[in-house]
Amino acid sequence: MSAMPFFSDLKLLDTLQKTVEALGYKNPTPIQIQAIPHLLEGRDLLGCAQTGTGKTAAFALPILQNLAKNPVRSYDRETRVLILTPTRELAVQIFESFKDYGKNLNLNFAVIFGGVGQGPQVRSVARGTDVVVATPGRLLDLIQQKALSLEGLEVFVLDEADRMLDMGFIHDIRKVIAMLPSKRQTLFFSATMPPEIQKLASTLLVNPVRVEVTPISSTAEKISQSVMFVDRNKKKDLLRHVLGDKDLTRVIVFTRTKRGANQVSEVLERNGISSLAIHGNKSQNARQKALESFRSGKIRVLVATDLAGRGIDIDGISHVINFELPNVSESYVHRIGRTARAGAEGSAISFCDQDERSFLRDIEKLTGQKIPVVDHPFFSNNAASAPLVSRGKAKAMIERRYR
Ligand code: AMP
């Protein structure tokens, strides 16, 4: 993929950059790009991601950097960072990752899990640690025995929250949460976000950054995709035309900008198509109301920007329409992933104008699929045959429109 960010774009310390280079990492993964800058600033994070996405480095690198930049020695039996994870295998894996990534920093790490003698673990945390990776049961044992304390904790990471719940750890987790200092940074990861998990997350996180990475291939394969070439000034006509098909029962329309979202929603309303826009400028209340109207079927079309669209988890979305193509190819996969949830069928239609031609190429490269072109009354040859330019140039062309 062109214009892929580098680790050097993420404000990481030189030594950490050198370490990941030595491990053979060339470019940061999407979750690393999205999470690292915010975590360095101390923000809370709600991450929807599975293992295999580079999740561990996404939280380990900024945690290590913040610890290294502010070196204080922990009191005996205290730790500055706690990572809670469901299984012994994961705990060991994360511990090993911290040792790998942090080997040139003067920090100490410990791992705690059940099923083995506790002596060595008790000793490993006795003089204070920077990072403890633990499974819930043994952690609570050691805390009860006063071998470990969470009093000086600065960062709490809850990993694989959905699996923790499935494995019956909810009471243990609640006990741990009750012991956390209120002033802390919290990171919450889960591969899925059922209501129970969302509730738990909302009690733990303060104004979190939301990061979602979808396993790229699996999502894109289930969804029937098409592209419509159209001139920019004909997109609204095309949208009305497309929505003339009653099979489009529950539709999300994505735009690049908040203003665009409002405009599209107004045009639809004027044409008797019930719709609402959601984006970052709307209050939480207004967004919630719009989502509720959409969920209940009161409105047929929800118009959203990428950020506002991220958290939308509504079943039965029949179609996603990309009124404008995103310049970040991963966003395309997130957008179309709003449909075809839970094994249902779904369709994604993308409007592509002349300036967006290069974004389409990047998306096809990322998903490894050619998106079929569909004919329609507003078909534009200019858009279909527009010369391909670099992504940077394409982005500049698009941004000029909004000045
Ligand atoms: P995780 O999702 O944290 O379990 O990571 C999955 C695998 O990807 C691990 O083996 C990591 O070492 C590796 N990994 C993490 N980040 C990168 C990267 N930016 N480039 C290449 N490999 C990576």
Side-chain angles (χ1 to χ4, degrees), residues 98-259:
F98 268 90
K99 283 201 298 193
D100 283 345
Y101 301 142
K103 66 171 181 253
N104 296 321
L105 307 168
N106 191 17
L107 299 168
N108 62 346
F109 315 111
V111 63
I112 283 172
F113 49 80
V116 296
Q118 68 167 45
Q121 293 175 8
V122 169
R123 282 192 291 280
S124 71
V125 297
R127 304 298 308 278
T129 39
D130 290 297
V131 179
V132 168
V133 187
T135 54
R138 177 59 63 86
L139 176 79
L140 286 169
D141 282 350
L142 296 195
I143 291 173
Q144 258 153 22
Q145 296 168 35
K146 304 223 180 310
L148 181 66
S149 158
L150 300 183
E151 255 169 58
L153 198 77
E154 297 167 34
V155 185
F156 174 59
V157 182
L158 186 63
D159 189 33
E160 309 235 340
D162 49 356
R163 242 172 109 191
M164 295 261 208
L165 253 61
D166 288 345
M167 291 172 70
F169 283 139
I170 186 68
H171 295 297
D172 286 349
I173 293 173
R174 291 234 167 84
K175 277 189 209 156
V176 173
I177 290 171
M179 286 184 268
L180 301 174
S182 57
K183 188 174 170 294
R184 57 162 202 267
Q185 183 182 20
T186 308
L187 284 54
F188 189 107
F189 290 95
S190 194
T192 57
M193 290 285 166
E196 211 180 346
I197 294 286
Q198 285 176 28
K199 224 168 99 188
L200 183 64
S202 67
T203 62
L204 276 174
L205 300 166
V206 180
N207 187 24
V209 179
R210 283 160 206 273
V211 169
E212 185 179 1
V213 288
T214 326
I216 300 280
S217 54
S218 58
T219 328
E221 277 161 15
K222 276 192 309 206
I223 298 166
S224 111
Q225 302 169 64
S226 58
V227 60
M228 294 180 167
F229 289 114
V230 59
D231 289 333
R232 182 185 158 210
N233 60 5
K234 291 283 181 232
K235 282 190 172 183
K236 284 178 182 139
D237 295 324
L238 177 59
L239 182 61
R240 279 203 324 248
H241 169 76
V242 168
L243 287 170
D245 182 348
K246 295 283 175 269
D247 283 348
L248 281 77
T249 49
R250 190 175 295 199
V251 186
I252 299 191
V253 176
F254 279 101
T255 61
R256 281 172 57 85
T257 63
K258 298 165 192 166
R259 196 167 55 145

Side-chain angles (χ1 to χ4, degrees), residues 7 24-29 32 50-57 93 101:
F7 279 101
Y25 301 0
K26 290 201 173 60
N27 303 99
T29 66
Q32 290 162 3
Q50 297 170 329
T51 48
T53 52
K55 182 179 62 155
T56 315
Q93 211 173 299
Y101 301 142

